[in-house]
Amino acid sequence: MKPPAVEKVLLDGAAGAIETDVTDPGDGRVAIALIAHPHPLMGGTKDNKVVTTLARTFYALGFVTLRPNFRGVGASEGTHDEGRGETDDLIAVARHAQNTYGELPLVCAGFSFGSFVQTRVARQLNPAQLVLVAPAVNRFPAETVAPGTLVIHGETDDVVPLKAVLDWARPQNLAVTVIPGGEHFVHGRLHQLQDLVTRYCR
């Protein structure tokens, strides 16, 4: 499959414009994928390699993908709001997508801080599927999530220790998929991430 054409749009959010990259497979689209990036105060953007890998994976499955920059990042207006305003912004992007492409199933995905925000979004939007990569549950008060959520974590993650994720998942009876030898940014393991997400969403 040829690389998707990326449309760069500015959407309306509570704090102003939300800069968003959209890839649309066209009439054959089967779902909407909303992808959230890591912590903006630590360099996280929509162009993070885990985020772009997720976008390519969803696009290959026929999903229209949306990768917004959180408020205060790139051309997104506003200032960092510790997950509160960011939740509102993701919901605004999801609503825009549903208004534009119809009531397709919504898949929410996030990496690190983005996973934390997506646990908040999922409480309000109840997406068809939820994908959390290296969820930063030791740093932010992540919500409980629905059974069947895909949680992917690196065995040797030193930013968010695997134990912290297991401690968060255990009371929920939630399975955690561990990438052996994987670290927080999934260096050298992006193909495994792609395979896991593809199997989950297919």
Side-chain angles (χ1 to χ4, degrees), residues 34-111:
L34 175 63
I35 309 164
H37 69 69
H39 204 298
L41 300 187
M42 298 177 184
T45 77
K46 63 179 174 55
D47 298 317
N48 169 273
K49 67 178 182 177
V50 174
V51 172
T52 56
T53 296
L54 289 170
R56 285 195 303 272
T57 304
F58 289 126
Y59 180 82
L61 291 166
F63 295 11
V64 55
T65 74
L66 296 98
R67 291 183 288 126
N69 264 334
F70 283 133
R71 49 182 63 189
V73 178
S76 290
E77 296 176 335
T79 56
H80 178 65
D81 194 32
E82 299 180 354
R84 295 177 295 265
E86 288 79 3
T87 300
D88 295 337
D89 291 346
L90 288 187
I91 290 171
V93 173
R95 298 291 190 216
H96 165 84
Q98 290 169 330
N99 289 337
T100 302
Y101 304 107
E103 291 296 322
L104 293 170
L106 175 66
V107 177
C108 291
F111 170 45

Side-chain angles (χ1 to χ4, degrees), residues 7 9 19 58 72 120 127 132 142 147 158-159:
E7 181 185 7
V9 298
E19 181 185 21
F58 289 126
R120 294 170 53 92
L132 307 177
D158 60 356
V159 177

Side-chain angles (χ1 to χ4, degrees), residues 12 23 65 133 159 191:
D12 291 331
T23 54
T65 74
V133 181
V159 177
H191 63 288

Side-chain angles (χ1 to χ4, degrees), residues 84-155:
R84 295 177 295 265
E86 288 79 3
T87 300
D88 295 337
D89 291 346
L90 288 187
I91 290 171
V93 173
R95 298 291 190 216
H96 165 84
Q98 290 169 330
N99 289 337
T100 302
Y101 304 107
E103 291 296 322
L104 293 170
L106 175 66
V107 177
C108 291
F111 170 45
S112 195
F113 172 81
S115 285
F116 152 63
V117 179
Q118 290 287 32
T119 68
R120 294 170 53 92
V121 171
R123 290 297 285 267
Q124 297 190 52
L125 296 186
N126 191 28
Q129 293 178 307
L130 180 61
V131 176
L132 307 177
V133 181
V137 298
N138 63 328
R139 294 169 178 247
F140 308 99
E143 301 282 350
T144 57
V145 295
T149 295
L150 177 62
V151 181
I152 302 171
H153 209 77
E155 177 189 20

